[in-house]
Amino acid sequence: MPKIRAARVIVTCPGRNFVTLKIETDEGVYGLGDATLNGRELAVASYLTDHVIPCLIGRDAHQIEDIWQYLYKGAYWRRGPVTMSAVAAVDTALWDIKGKIAGLPVYQLLGGASREGCMVYGHANGTDIEETLDRAQEYVDQGYKAVRLQSGVPGLAATYGVSGERFYYEPAKGSVPDETLWSTSKYLRHAPKLFERGREVLGWDVHLLHDVHHRLTPIEAGRLGKDLEPYRLFWLEDATPAENQAGFRLIRQHTTTPLAVGEVFNSVWDAKQLIEEQLIDYIRATVVHAGGITHLRRIASLADLYQVRTGCHGATDLSPVSMAAALHFGLSVPNFGIQEYMRHTPETDAVFPHAYRFERGLMHPGEAPGLGVELDEALAGTYAYKRAFLPVNRLEDGTMWSW
Ligand code: GCO
Ligand code: MG
């Protein structure tokens, strides 16, 4: 049996922070797992180094399920983003090792390909509607079949999803969190105009998506969903915070716009009611924050019973290791919906050389054994960790709100 001989955490910042777990076996095979939790990176690094790695040494690297249960049940303290990101990193690294030993890409271990590739969506954003649509057209020209539209809102200095950068959106920065101001009424007046004009300019052959980023109440979300119905969105994402899963009933009663939620979920329990009551159409839980490939498959299996499809989170704060894992998962899972693809910068791609590729709107994880991602440790070592925070958001009268 391949015994776990060593494991260590590598923190690097090629433009943004990434935490990577590297597990090595006594036979010299190694696997990588992403453990990046945006704005809280070192908490996961410590959880792994101080509390997980000492328990892994000497274990059979092939026992992925048993090690998952050992880390989940054995900690006594269950769930939570820090814990589950750490468990995810171990799980992902072990799938990588198993694939390398088998000489097969991970998707083959998960049952093989269920499709030719994973449809991805790109991010088009601009300070106003026309700028957003110019960028969306560039995605369409590059072959994307689906594009997310976010635009600045008149009267608001900044909003989620809009950056000065042409193709990269990186909200984490600063020695303390940036503060932004939010107005629900201004946003609700503006968002339908973006999609009305979006259909005029882009036509009907491209899927359009939108992220509300947890800023509405359920009844406001119902109103927005209704206003957007004529433009046939692929999905409306995170319309309201989802701690109260029953809150989505109210949205559902008022609109047929498909709903996606779950990028902050870390366990099947966060989504159980949403799925069982068919309150959502797409589940956005992802490998790194929801307990790895092993647990994400469990969530997807529950979702499949209720015709809920996957739509994994894939922002730039998820490393190329997560992207690869998501693509192996997405290629194999029966109820795949779509995969988010926010391209990494050239600096990040150089630190994590990878086998996955984009072709005509679809992505494929490649045929390299394991996940097909490397970590150039020498290059990673040249980028020191930089503390960075996600912004916080307030209403115009100063009330704390969800960002
Ligand atoms: C998305 C997300 C991201 C998150 C970010 C937080 O849909 O891609 O909402 O933009 O804000 O990943 O770390
Ligand atoms: Mg989102």
Side-chain angles (χ1 to χ4, degrees), residues 40 158-160 169 171-173 176-182 213 215 389-395 398-403:
R40 297 292 186 270
T159 189
Y160 165 76
Y169 174 61
K173 49 174 140 0
V176 293
D178 270 359
E179 302 223 354
T180 52
L181 287 186
W182 175 250
H213 223 258
R215 290 165 183 215
F389 291 96
L390 288 169
V392 299
N393 204 22
R394 293 182 188 277
L395 298 183
T399 306
M400 247 345 265
W401 202 244
S402 305
W403 175 70

PDB file of all heavy atoms in Angstrom, residues 40 158-160 169 171-173 176-182 213 215 389-395 398-403:
ATOM      1  N   ARG A  40      -9.151  34.415   4.409  1.00  0.00           N
ATOM      2  CA  ARG A  40      -8.947  33.676   5.664  1.00  0.00           C
ATOM      3  C   ARG A  40      -7.941  32.541   5.436  1.00  0.00           C
ATOM      4  O   ARG A  40      -8.030  31.485   6.064  1.00  0.00           O
ATOM      5  CB  ARG A  40     -10.285  33.083   6.169  1.00  0.00           C
ATOM      6  CG  ARG A  40     -11.357  34.121   6.532  1.00  0.00           C
ATOM      7  CD  ARG A  40     -10.955  34.912   7.776  1.00  0.00           C
ATOM      8  NE  ARG A  40     -11.999  35.827   8.243  1.00  0.00           N
ATOM      9  CZ  ARG A  40     -12.146  37.091   7.856  1.00  0.00           C
ATOM     10  NH1 ARG A  40     -11.322  37.604   6.959  1.00  0.00           N
ATOM     11  NH2 ARG A  40     -13.094  37.851   8.363  1.00  0.00           N
ATOM     12  N   ALA A 158     -19.345  51.828  -6.375  1.00  0.00           N
ATOM     13  CA  ALA A 158     -18.747  50.518  -6.676  1.00  0.00           C
ATOM     14  C   ALA A 158     -19.815  49.459  -6.455  1.00  0.00           C
ATOM     15  O   ALA A 158     -20.718  49.648  -5.659  1.00  0.00           O
ATOM     16  CB  ALA A 158     -17.574  50.253  -5.737  1.00  0.00           C
ATOM     17  N   THR A 159     -19.697  48.350  -7.169  1.00  0.00           N
ATOM     18  CA  THR A 159     -20.614  47.246  -6.886  1.00  0.00           C
ATOM     19  C   THR A 159     -19.922  45.923  -7.149  1.00  0.00           C
ATOM     20  O   THR A 159     -18.881  45.873  -7.803  1.00  0.00           O
ATOM     21  CB  THR A 159     -21.934  47.358  -7.682  1.00  0.00           C
ATOM     22  OG1 THR A 159     -22.847  46.382  -7.192  1.00  0.00           O
ATOM     23  CG2 THR A 159     -21.727  47.141  -9.168  1.00  0.00           C
ATOM     24  N   TYR A 160     -20.518  44.847  -6.645  1.00  0.00           N
ATOM     25  CA  TYR A 160     -19.924  43.528  -6.809  1.00  0.00           C
ATOM     26  C   TYR A 160     -19.741  43.207  -8.297  1.00  0.00           C
ATOM     27  O   TYR A 160     -20.626  43.469  -9.111  1.00  0.00           O
ATOM     28  CB  TYR A 160     -20.817  42.437  -6.175  1.00  0.00           C
ATOM     29  CG  TYR A 160     -20.368  41.097  -6.669  1.00  0.00           C
ATOM     30  CD1 TYR A 160     -19.213  40.523  -6.163  1.00  0.00           C
ATOM     31  CD2 TYR A 160     -21.017  40.465  -7.734  1.00  0.00           C
ATOM     32  CE1 TYR A 160     -18.721  39.350  -6.694  1.00  0.00           C
ATOM     33  CE2 TYR A 160     -20.536  39.296  -8.269  1.00  0.00           C
ATOM     34  CZ  TYR A 160     -19.391  38.746  -7.740  1.00  0.00           C
ATOM     35  OH  TYR A 160     -18.889  37.601  -8.286  1.00  0.00           O
ATOM     36  N   TYR A 169     -11.083  39.964 -12.301  1.00  0.00           N
ATOM     37  CA  TYR A 169     -11.804  40.618 -11.221  1.00  0.00           C
ATOM     38  C   TYR A 169     -11.273  40.056  -9.915  1.00  0.00           C
ATOM     39  O   TYR A 169     -11.367  38.856  -9.666  1.00  0.00           O
ATOM     40  CB  TYR A 169     -13.313  40.345 -11.344  1.00  0.00           C
ATOM     41  CG  TYR A 169     -14.103  40.865 -10.168  1.00  0.00           C
ATOM     42  CD1 TYR A 169     -14.102  42.230  -9.877  1.00  0.00           C
ATOM     43  CD2 TYR A 169     -14.828  40.014  -9.345  1.00  0.00           C
ATOM     44  CE1 TYR A 169     -14.813  42.716  -8.795  1.00  0.00           C
ATOM     45  CE2 TYR A 169     -15.548  40.490  -8.268  1.00  0.00           C
ATOM     46  CZ  TYR A 169     -15.537  41.849  -7.995  1.00  0.00           C
ATOM     47  OH  TYR A 169     -16.233  42.335  -6.932  1.00  0.00           O
ATOM     48  N   PRO A 171     -11.516  40.977  -6.040  1.00  0.00           N
ATOM     49  CA  PRO A 171     -12.021  41.888  -5.012  1.00  0.00           C
ATOM     50  C   PRO A 171     -11.223  41.919  -3.711  1.00  0.00           C
ATOM     51  O   PRO A 171     -11.347  42.872  -2.946  1.00  0.00           O
ATOM     52  CB  PRO A 171     -13.443  41.353  -4.746  1.00  0.00           C
ATOM     53  CG  PRO A 171     -13.414  39.922  -5.152  1.00  0.00           C
ATOM     54  CD  PRO A 171     -12.388  39.805  -6.246  1.00  0.00           C
ATOM     55  N   ALA A 172     -10.402  40.896  -3.431  1.00  0.00           N
ATOM     56  CA  ALA A 172      -9.682  40.871  -2.151  1.00  0.00           C
ATOM     57  C   ALA A 172      -8.471  41.791  -2.204  1.00  0.00           C
ATOM     58  O   ALA A 172      -7.619  41.661  -3.076  1.00  0.00           O
ATOM     59  CB  ALA A 172      -9.238  39.448  -1.830  1.00  0.00           C
ATOM     60  N   LYS A 173      -8.426  42.754  -1.300  1.00  0.00           N
ATOM     61  CA  LYS A 173      -7.250  43.630  -1.220  1.00  0.00           C
ATOM     62  C   LYS A 173      -7.250  44.378   0.112  1.00  0.00           C
ATOM     63  O   LYS A 173      -8.164  44.232   0.906  1.00  0.00           O
ATOM     64  CB  LYS A 173      -7.200  44.600  -2.404  1.00  0.00           C
ATOM     65  CG  LYS A 173      -8.482  45.353  -2.717  1.00  0.00           C
ATOM     66  CD  LYS A 173      -8.180  46.350  -3.818  1.00  0.00           C
ATOM     67  CE  LYS A 173      -9.184  46.570  -4.916  1.00  0.00           C
ATOM     68  NZ  LYS A 173     -10.406  45.964  -5.076  1.00  0.00           N
ATOM     69  N   VAL A 176      -7.013  46.483   5.550  1.00  0.00           N
ATOM     70  CA  VAL A 176      -8.311  46.258   6.208  1.00  0.00           C
ATOM     71  C   VAL A 176      -9.348  46.196   5.077  1.00  0.00           C
ATOM     72  O   VAL A 176      -9.069  46.662   3.982  1.00  0.00           O
ATOM     73  CB  VAL A 176      -8.697  47.379   7.211  1.00  0.00           C
ATOM     74  CG1 VAL A 176      -7.775  47.405   8.402  1.00  0.00           C
ATOM     75  CG2 VAL A 176      -8.732  48.729   6.521  1.00  0.00           C
ATOM     76  N   PRO A 177     -10.539  45.627   5.342  1.00  0.00           N
ATOM     77  CA  PRO A 177     -11.509  45.501   4.240  1.00  0.00           C
ATOM     78  C   PRO A 177     -11.954  46.856   3.690  1.00  0.00           C
ATOM     79  O   PRO A 177     -12.232  47.777   4.454  1.00  0.00           O
ATOM     80  CB  PRO A 177     -12.690  44.770   4.893  1.00  0.00           C
ATOM     81  CG  PRO A 177     -12.116  44.090   6.093  1.00  0.00           C
ATOM     82  CD  PRO A 177     -10.990  44.956   6.571  1.00  0.00           C
ATOM     83  N   ASP A 178     -12.029  46.953   2.361  1.00  0.00           N
ATOM     84  CA  ASP A 178     -12.647  48.120   1.711  1.00  0.00           C
ATOM     85  C   ASP A 178     -14.120  48.169   2.114  1.00  0.00           C
ATOM     86  O   ASP A 178     -14.731  47.132   2.342  1.00  0.00           O
ATOM     87  CB  ASP A 178     -12.648  47.923   0.185  1.00  0.00           C
ATOM     88  CG  ASP A 178     -11.392  48.468  -0.457  1.00  0.00           C
ATOM     89  OD1 ASP A 178     -10.548  49.004   0.275  1.00  0.00           O
ATOM     90  OD2 ASP A 178     -11.285  48.330  -1.688  1.00  0.00           O
ATOM     91  N   GLU A 179     -14.694  49.383   2.157  1.00  0.00           N
ATOM     92  CA  GLU A 179     -16.127  49.494   2.464  1.00  0.00           C
ATOM     93  C   GLU A 179     -16.832  50.062   1.240  1.00  0.00           C
ATOM     94  O   GLU A 179     -16.407  51.069   0.680  1.00  0.00           O
ATOM     95  CB  GLU A 179     -16.356  50.401   3.673  1.00  0.00           C
ATOM     96  CG  GLU A 179     -15.622  49.896   4.901  1.00  0.00           C
ATOM     97  CD  GLU A 179     -16.442  49.964   6.178  1.00  0.00           C
ATOM     98  OE1 GLU A 179     -17.561  50.519   6.154  1.00  0.00           O
ATOM     99  OE2 GLU A 179     -15.943  49.444   7.197  1.00  0.00           O
ATOM    100  N   THR A 180     -17.920  49.415   0.816  1.00  0.00           N
ATOM    101  CA  THR A 180     -18.692  49.920  -0.313  1.00  0.00           C
ATOM    102  C   THR A 180     -20.125  50.201   0.142  1.00  0.00           C
ATOM    103  O   THR A 180     -20.570  49.683   1.170  1.00  0.00           O
ATOM    104  CB  THR A 180     -18.707  48.910  -1.482  1.00  0.00           C
ATOM    105  OG1 THR A 180     -19.132  47.638  -0.979  1.00  0.00           O
ATOM    106  CG2 THR A 180     -17.332  48.743  -2.096  1.00  0.00           C
ATOM    107  N   LEU A 181     -20.840  51.040  -0.630  1.00  0.00           N
ATOM    108  CA  LEU A 181     -22.222  51.401  -0.289  1.00  0.00           C
ATOM    109  C   LEU A 181     -23.180  50.775  -1.280  1.00  0.00           C
ATOM    110  O   LEU A 181     -22.903  50.704  -2.480  1.00  0.00           O
ATOM    111  CB  LEU A 181     -22.398  52.929  -0.311  1.00  0.00           C
ATOM    112  CG  LEU A 181     -21.758  53.716   0.838  1.00  0.00           C
ATOM    113  CD1 LEU A 181     -22.151  55.184   0.740  1.00  0.00           C
ATOM    114  CD2 LEU A 181     -22.171  53.157   2.212  1.00  0.00           C
ATOM    115  N   TRP A 182     -24.345  50.394  -0.767  1.00  0.00           N
ATOM    116  CA  TRP A 182     -25.303  49.629  -1.568  1.00  0.00           C
ATOM    117  C   TRP A 182     -26.705  50.232  -1.486  1.00  0.00           C
ATOM    118  O   TRP A 182     -27.134  50.671  -0.410  1.00  0.00           O
ATOM    119  CB  TRP A 182     -25.352  48.197  -1.046  1.00  0.00           C
ATOM    120  CG  TRP A 182     -26.388  47.348  -1.709  1.00  0.00           C
ATOM    121  CD1 TRP A 182     -27.541  46.862  -1.164  1.00  0.00           C
ATOM    122  CD2 TRP A 182     -26.358  46.852  -3.059  1.00  0.00           C
ATOM    123  NE1 TRP A 182     -28.222  46.107  -2.079  1.00  0.00           N
ATOM    124  CE2 TRP A 182     -27.510  46.097  -3.252  1.00  0.00           C
ATOM    125  CE3 TRP A 182     -25.446  47.000  -4.129  1.00  0.00           C
ATOM    126  CZ2 TRP A 182     -27.804  45.468  -4.466  1.00  0.00           C
ATOM    127  CZ3 TRP A 182     -25.733  46.377  -5.331  1.00  0.00           C
ATOM    128  CH2 TRP A 182     -26.893  45.619  -5.489  1.00  0.00           C
ATOM    129  N   HIS A 213     -25.147  38.319  -5.620  1.00  0.00           N
ATOM    130  CA  HIS A 213     -24.191  38.314  -4.511  1.00  0.00           C
ATOM    131  C   HIS A 213     -24.857  38.610  -3.171  1.00  0.00           C
ATOM    132  O   HIS A 213     -24.408  39.471  -2.402  1.00  0.00           O
ATOM    133  CB  HIS A 213     -23.023  39.282  -4.790  1.00  0.00           C
ATOM    134  CG  HIS A 213     -21.697  38.696  -4.420  1.00  0.00           C
ATOM    135  ND1 HIS A 213     -21.029  39.031  -3.277  1.00  0.00           N
ATOM    136  CD2 HIS A 213     -20.927  37.776  -5.033  1.00  0.00           C
ATOM    137  CE1 HIS A 213     -19.891  38.356  -3.208  1.00  0.00           C
ATOM    138  NE2 HIS A 213     -19.811  37.582  -4.255  1.00  0.00           N
ATOM    139  N   ARG A 215     -27.592  40.050  -2.027  1.00  0.00           N
ATOM    140  CA  ARG A 215     -27.933  41.401  -1.572  1.00  0.00           C
ATOM    141  C   ARG A 215     -29.408  41.708  -1.446  1.00  0.00           C
ATOM    142  O   ARG A 215     -29.780  42.824  -1.057  1.00  0.00           O
ATOM    143  CB  ARG A 215     -27.291  42.414  -2.511  1.00  0.00           C
ATOM    144  CG  ARG A 215     -25.792  42.366  -2.292  1.00  0.00           C
ATOM    145  CD  ARG A 215     -25.029  43.036  -3.355  1.00  0.00           C
ATOM    146  NE  ARG A 215     -23.618  42.845  -3.047  1.00  0.00           N
ATOM    147  CZ  ARG A 215     -22.674  43.717  -3.287  1.00  0.00           C
ATOM    148  NH1 ARG A 215     -22.979  44.847  -3.863  1.00  0.00           N
ATOM    149  NH2 ARG A 215     -21.437  43.461  -2.956  1.00  0.00           N
ATOM    150  N   PHE A 389      -8.247  41.314   2.167  1.00  0.00           N
ATOM    151  CA  PHE A 389      -9.616  41.073   2.650  1.00  0.00           C
ATOM    152  C   PHE A 389     -10.625  41.291   1.541  1.00  0.00           C
ATOM    153  O   PHE A 389     -10.453  42.192   0.702  1.00  0.00           O
ATOM    154  CB  PHE A 389      -9.965  42.058   3.773  1.00  0.00           C
ATOM    155  CG  PHE A 389      -9.213  41.830   5.046  1.00  0.00           C
ATOM    156  CD1 PHE A 389      -8.065  42.550   5.321  1.00  0.00           C
ATOM    157  CD2 PHE A 389      -9.658  40.888   5.968  1.00  0.00           C
ATOM    158  CE1 PHE A 389      -7.369  42.344   6.503  1.00  0.00           C
ATOM    159  CE2 PHE A 389      -8.973  40.686   7.148  1.00  0.00           C
ATOM    160  CZ  PHE A 389      -7.815  41.414   7.422  1.00  0.00           C
ATOM    161  N   LEU A 390     -11.714  40.534   1.595  1.00  0.00           N
ATOM    162  CA  LEU A 390     -12.868  40.860   0.757  1.00  0.00           C
ATOM    163  C   LEU A 390     -13.504  42.129   1.308  1.00  0.00           C
ATOM    164  O   LEU A 390     -13.401  42.399   2.507  1.00  0.00           O
ATOM    165  CB  LEU A 390     -13.869  39.698   0.779  1.00  0.00           C
ATOM    166  CG  LEU A 390     -13.410  38.464  -0.002  1.00  0.00           C
ATOM    167  CD1 LEU A 390     -14.313  37.276   0.286  1.00  0.00           C
ATOM    168  CD2 LEU A 390     -13.358  38.753  -1.493  1.00  0.00           C
ATOM    169  N   PRO A 391     -14.189  42.920   0.449  1.00  0.00           N
ATOM    170  CA  PRO A 391     -14.807  44.154   0.940  1.00  0.00           C
ATOM    171  C   PRO A 391     -15.989  43.858   1.864  1.00  0.00           C
ATOM    172  O   PRO A 391     -16.506  42.738   1.880  1.00  0.00           O
ATOM    173  CB  PRO A 391     -15.331  44.828  -0.337  1.00  0.00           C
ATOM    174  CG  PRO A 391     -14.700  44.105  -1.472  1.00  0.00           C
ATOM    175  CD  PRO A 391     -14.366  42.736  -0.996  1.00  0.00           C
ATOM    176  N   VAL A 392     -16.394  44.869   2.612  1.00  0.00           N
ATOM    177  CA  VAL A 392     -17.668  44.795   3.335  1.00  0.00           C
ATOM    178  C   VAL A 392     -18.604  45.829   2.708  1.00  0.00           C
ATOM    179  O   VAL A 392     -18.160  46.746   2.022  1.00  0.00           O
ATOM    180  CB  VAL A 392     -17.510  45.060   4.850  1.00  0.00           C
ATOM    181  CG1 VAL A 392     -16.608  44.020   5.484  1.00  0.00           C
ATOM    182  CG2 VAL A 392     -16.987  46.468   5.115  1.00  0.00           C
ATOM    183  N   ASN A 393     -19.886  45.663   2.961  1.00  0.00           N
ATOM    184  CA  ASN A 393     -20.892  46.450   2.258  1.00  0.00           C
ATOM    185  C   ASN A 393     -21.850  47.061   3.275  1.00  0.00           C
ATOM    186  O   ASN A 393     -22.237  46.391   4.245  1.00  0.00           O
ATOM    187  CB  ASN A 393     -21.653  45.461   1.352  1.00  0.00           C
ATOM    188  CG  ASN A 393     -22.307  46.114   0.168  1.00  0.00           C
ATOM    189  OD1 ASN A 393     -21.926  47.197  -0.248  1.00  0.00           O
ATOM    190  ND2 ASN A 393     -23.308  45.441  -0.366  1.00  0.00           N
ATOM    191  N   ARG A 394     -22.224  48.327   3.059  1.00  0.00           N
ATOM    192  CA  ARG A 394     -23.200  48.981   3.938  1.00  0.00           C
ATOM    193  C   ARG A 394     -24.301  49.600   3.103  1.00  0.00           C
ATOM    194  O   ARG A 394     -24.062  49.993   1.957  1.00  0.00           O
ATOM    195  CB  ARG A 394     -22.537  50.103   4.748  1.00  0.00           C
ATOM    196  CG  ARG A 394     -21.531  49.627   5.759  1.00  0.00           C
ATOM    197  CD  ARG A 394     -20.969  50.815   6.541  1.00  0.00           C
ATOM    198  NE  ARG A 394     -19.876  50.408   7.390  1.00  0.00           N
ATOM    199  CZ  ARG A 394     -20.019  49.871   8.612  1.00  0.00           C
ATOM    200  NH1 ARG A 394     -21.231  49.706   9.126  1.00  0.00           N
ATOM    201  NH2 ARG A 394     -18.967  49.514   9.314  1.00  0.00           N
ATOM    202  N   LEU A 395     -25.483  49.730   3.683  1.00  0.00           N
ATOM    203  CA  LEU A 395     -26.528  50.522   3.045  1.00  0.00           C
ATOM    204  C   LEU A 395     -26.110  51.988   3.107  1.00  0.00           C
ATOM    205  O   LEU A 395     -25.206  52.359   3.870  1.00  0.00           O
ATOM    206  CB  LEU A 395     -27.864  50.322   3.755  1.00  0.00           C
ATOM    207  CG  LEU A 395     -28.417  48.893   3.748  1.00  0.00           C
ATOM    208  CD1 LEU A 395     -29.785  48.849   4.431  1.00  0.00           C
ATOM    209  CD2 LEU A 395     -28.516  48.359   2.321  1.00  0.00           C
ATOM    210  N   GLY A 398     -25.470  53.592   6.363  1.00  0.00           N
ATOM    211  CA  GLY A 398     -24.434  53.057   7.236  1.00  0.00           C
ATOM    212  C   GLY A 398     -24.729  51.667   7.809  1.00  0.00           C
ATOM    213  O   GLY A 398     -23.849  51.053   8.421  1.00  0.00           O
ATOM    214  N   THR A 399     -25.926  51.149   7.585  1.00  0.00           N
ATOM    215  CA  THR A 399     -26.264  49.817   8.098  1.00  0.00           C
ATOM    216  C   THR A 399     -25.400  48.746   7.436  1.00  0.00           C
ATOM    217  O   THR A 399     -25.267  48.728   6.211  1.00  0.00           O
ATOM    218  CB  THR A 399     -27.754  49.504   7.783  1.00  0.00           C
ATOM    219  OG1 THR A 399     -28.557  50.558   8.295  1.00  0.00           O
ATOM    220  CG2 THR A 399     -28.182  48.173   8.375  1.00  0.00           C
ATOM    221  N   MET A 400     -24.849  47.822   8.248  1.00  0.00           N
ATOM    222  CA  MET A 400     -24.067  46.713   7.670  1.00  0.00           C
ATOM    223  C   MET A 400     -24.980  45.853   6.801  1.00  0.00           C
ATOM    224  O   MET A 400     -26.098  45.539   7.207  1.00  0.00           O
ATOM    225  CB  MET A 400     -23.563  45.840   8.800  1.00  0.00           C
ATOM    226  CG  MET A 400     -22.093  45.732   9.120  1.00  0.00           C
ATOM    227  SD  MET A 400     -20.895  46.282   7.979  1.00  0.00           S
ATOM    228  CE  MET A 400     -20.541  44.775   7.173  1.00  0.00           C
ATOM    229  N   TRP A 401     -24.480  45.435   5.652  1.00  0.00           N
ATOM    230  CA  TRP A 401     -25.249  44.614   4.706  1.00  0.00           C
ATOM    231  C   TRP A 401     -24.377  43.466   4.233  1.00  0.00           C
ATOM    232  O   TRP A 401     -23.205  43.409   4.612  1.00  0.00           O
ATOM    233  CB  TRP A 401     -25.712  45.518   3.548  1.00  0.00           C
ATOM    234  CG  TRP A 401     -26.889  45.024   2.779  1.00  0.00           C
ATOM    235  CD1 TRP A 401     -26.917  44.652   1.458  1.00  0.00           C
ATOM    236  CD2 TRP A 401     -28.222  44.857   3.264  1.00  0.00           C
ATOM    237  NE1 TRP A 401     -28.187  44.272   1.107  1.00  0.00           N
ATOM    238  CE2 TRP A 401     -29.006  44.386   2.195  1.00  0.00           C
ATOM    239  CE3 TRP A 401     -28.843  45.069   4.498  1.00  0.00           C
ATOM    240  CZ2 TRP A 401     -30.376  44.107   2.319  1.00  0.00           C
ATOM    241  CZ3 TRP A 401     -30.196  44.791   4.621  1.00  0.00           C
ATOM    242  CH2 TRP A 401     -30.953  44.321   3.545  1.00  0.00           C
ATOM    243  N   SER A 402     -24.912  42.589   3.440  1.00  0.00           N
ATOM    244  CA  SER A 402     -24.094  41.507   2.897  1.00  0.00           C
ATOM    245  C   SER A 402     -23.306  42.043   1.708  1.00  0.00           C
ATOM    246  O   SER A 402     -23.878  42.739   0.868  1.00  0.00           O
ATOM    247  CB  SER A 402     -24.966  40.349   2.403  1.00  0.00           C
ATOM    248  OG  SER A 402     -25.806  39.907   3.443  1.00  0.00           O
ATOM    249  N   TRP A 403     -22.040  41.653   1.573  1.00  0.00           N
ATOM    250  CA  TRP A 403     -21.261  42.073   0.418  1.00  0.00           C
ATOM    251  C   TRP A 403     -21.518  41.128  -0.742  1.00  0.00           C
ATOM    252  O   TRP A 403     -21.628  39.931  -0.579  1.00  0.00           O
ATOM    253  CB  TRP A 403     -19.757  42.083   0.723  1.00  0.00           C
ATOM    254  CG  TRP A 403     -18.990  42.410  -0.530  1.00  0.00           C
ATOM    255  CD1 TRP A 403     -18.938  43.605  -1.172  1.00  0.00           C
ATOM    256  CD2 TRP A 403     -18.207  41.503  -1.324  1.00  0.00           C
ATOM    257  NE1 TRP A 403     -18.182  43.495  -2.324  1.00  0.00           N
ATOM    258  CE2 TRP A 403     -17.738  42.229  -2.429  1.00  0.00           C
ATOM    259  CE3 TRP A 403     -17.896  40.132  -1.208  1.00  0.00           C
ATOM    260  CZ2 TRP A 403     -16.930  41.639  -3.429  1.00  0.00           C
ATOM    261  CZ3 TRP A 403     -17.111  39.550  -2.168  1.00  0.00           C
ATOM    262  CH2 TRP A 403     -16.616  40.306  -3.260  1.00  0.00           C
TER     263      TRP A 403
END
